[in-house]
Amino acid sequence: VGFDISCGVRLLLTGQPASKIAAVAQPLAQALYDTIPAGVGSRGAISLSADEIDAMLHGGAAWAIAQGWGRPEDLSQIEEQGRMAGAMPAHVSEAAKHRQRREMGTLGSGNHYLEVQQIAAVYEPTLAAAFGLAEGQAVVSIHSGSRGLGHQIGTDYLREMVLAARETNFPLPDRELACAPIDSELGQRYLGAMRAGINCALANRQILTHLTREVFARFWPDCTMPLLYDVSHNTCKEETHLVEGTPRRLFVHRKGATRSLPPGHPDVPPAFAASGQPVLIGGSMGTASYVLSGVASADVAFFSACHGAGRAMSRHEALKHWSGRQVIDDLLKRGILIKSPSPRGVAEEAPLAYKDVAAVVRAAEEAGLVKVVAKLTPMICIKG
């Protein structure tokens, strides 16, 4: 599944009107930036021992909560209830584990962010009410993944699979499409390591949630910030689906795609049994994000939907068009505060470097994959 295993998005409800956020935007943005490390190779205050790394890779968000980073009720609002079964930390290299020991509770770089957003529009009032969303309220989106550990797992197994393909004369159209038979020793090791990577991402976003809640509590002590949902968009999961009318157990590979389960599906959290799973579509700094809902017709795509707009130009091309300072200044004129350690990274993620997210979301709805519930617009963005 590539290098950022279980990259995903979670959405927190602040219970605060956006006007309250706007009144303290500068100090709030600075507090978030000071508390949550962001950028390439960013390291946090948390340092894990070898045993703690293995426990985290087994336990995911459940492990993080047991360490005091979050609340037990968060788990029901996370895909896989916060822990991916079948993780095998023994198949994660020491190099990968070493990279992660100081990276828990960090955002990373690229298109990752923590964004304070305003609910700008509600399109499905009944579903929005079920999700706790109301126009004019503020929410927080966290977009991050498995950091250095996931990247190293991708690097390690890509190398092994390319060599294995040569030995078996399996033709690869591209080196990064390297693969192995699922039942092979290599395939089983990768699945165990990849599932450990999923748990790393879930634990990381849980710690980021805890840090975010602590910052908001400084400004509003009664702000509990319940978790709406956490869903990944870079995974491979074993699931049962109808194929030509027959139930089959499949390995569903979602890269740049997110699960969108319908009402009544057995894997939907009880809170969303009648509404369907919240589907979270992230934007890029100056662009909108969306909250969608899973629908039954999404079975045509194994209950999957898009995860975002996708790039309209490469990062290299974006650097030819914008500077980081230019993007930050342009967004500030629109009332959007950007905090980032990397002006270059901001330029690479300029809003116009991406496709029109509104058009992408409309296409997903018209294809019968989701129902659009609400539109979110950025106020503060902490960018890697």
Side-chain angles (χ1 to χ4, degrees):
V1 299
F3 295 100
D4 196 4
I5 297 166
S6 196
C7 182
V9 182
R10 63 168 51 192
L11 189 71
L12 304 170
L13 309 177
T14 71
Q16 305 293 326
S19 57
K20 269 193 176 183
I21 303 293
V24 295
Q26 287 283 0
L28 177 61
Q30 190 63 49
L32 289 168
Y33 182 69
D34 291 342
T35 302
I36 296 170
V40 177
S42 52
R43 292 186 168 194
I46 298 166
S47 181
L48 301 183
S49 68
D51 288 344
E52 287 170 328
I53 282 277
D54 283 352
M56 178 270 291
L57 295 177
H58 269 299
W63 168 86
I65 289 169
Q67 308 309 305
W69 293 304
R71 303 189 287 260
E73 59 266 30
D74 291 340
L75 293 177
S76 65
Q77 309 302 102
I78 305 173
E79 196 174 13
E80 306 300 335
Q81 293 76 54
R83 177 185 178 273
M84 187 73 202
M88 298 180 184
H91 297 324
V92 177
S93 70
E94 288 305 312
K97 293 176 183 179
H98 179 75
R99 288 183 66 176
Q100 197 60 31
R101 282 181 181 158
R102 289 289 307 279
E103 290 195 350
M104 298 306 294
T106 65
L107 272 179
S109 59
N111 62 349
H112 295 156
Y113 58 78
L114 183 149
E115 198 164 88
V116 183
Q117 303 163 326
Q118 173 175 295
I119 302 173
V122 166
Y123 305 109
E124 293 285 341
T126 301
L127 290 175
F131 292 169
L133 305 175
E135 193 167 327
Q137 292 287 300
V139 296
V140 175
S141 288
I142 298 173
H143 179 199
S144 190
S146 49
R147 301 291 286 112
L149 180 134
H151 195 283
Q152 191 65 47
I153 290 172
T155 300
D156 293 340
Y157 282 92
L158 180 70
R159 186 183 302 119
E160 274 202 76
M161 289 178 179
V162 166
L163 294 174
R166 290 175 187 165
E167 293 170 3
T168 58
N169 294 318
F170 187 85
L172 295 176
D174 185 280
R175 183 177 182 274
E176 291 197 9
L177 294 177
C179 55
I182 288 171
D183 291 333
S184 69
E185 185 268 345
L186 176 55
Q188 286 297 303
R189 279 196 290 113
Y190 175 72
L191 281 175
M194 185 266 297
R195 289 164 177 159
I198 290 176
N199 283 335
C200 176
L202 295 176
N204 188 44
R205 289 197 292 276
Q206 185 62 45
I207 296 171
L208 288 168
T209 294
H210 176 74
L211 297 175
T212 302
R213 284 169 170 162
E214 286 191 326
V215 171
F216 269 74
R218 295 181 214 164
F219 292 81
W220 302 282
D222 59 345
C223 185
T224 60
M225 299 188 75
L227 173 61
L228 172 62
Y229 200 60
D230 178 305
V231 64
S232 297
H233 51 239
N234 195 9
T235 61
C236 177
K237 293 187 177 180
E238 194 174 355
E239 301 172 356
T240 299
H241 294 275
L242 284 177
V243 179
E244 297 179 348
T246 302
R248 289 188 60 187
R249 197 73 177 155
L250 306 174
F251 285 84
V252 181
H253 184 287
R254 297 184 180 93
K255 181 170 176 61
T258 185
R259 200 156 70 168
S260 56
L261 301 179
H265 191 283
D267 291 333
V268 170
F272 309 123
S275 62
Q277 173 213 311
V279 178
L280 308 175
I281 306 297
S284 176
M285 293 185 293
T287 64
S289 298
Y290 288 85
V291 180
L292 320 174
S293 180
V295 293
S297 54
D299 62 352
V300 297
F302 303 126
F303 296 122
S304 305
C306 61
H307 88 292
R311 297 193 71 95
M313 64 177 70
S314 69
R315 289 182 169 88
H316 179 72
E317 187 67 22
L319 289 173
K320 296 179 182 179
H321 288 77
W322 302 282
S323 70
R325 187 72 259 168
Q326 175 191 355
V327 173
I328 291 169
D329 289 345
D330 288 348
L331 292 175
L332 185 59
K333 292 174 185 175
R334 293 169 47 193
I336 302 168
L337 281 173
I338 306 297
K339 292 284 187 180
S340 173
S342 171
R344 177 189 175 96
V346 171
E348 289 176 344
E349 299 299 316
L352 292 178
Y354 284 80
K355 300 170 190 171
D356 181 355
V357 66
V360 171
V361 166
R362 284 196 303 272
E365 184 173 50
E366 289 170 7
L369 302 180
V370 286
K371 187 173 288 186
V372 183
V373 178
K375 176 183 178 180
L376 316 174
T377 53
M379 301 176 69
I380 297 169
C381 184
I382 311 302
K383 195 76 175 171

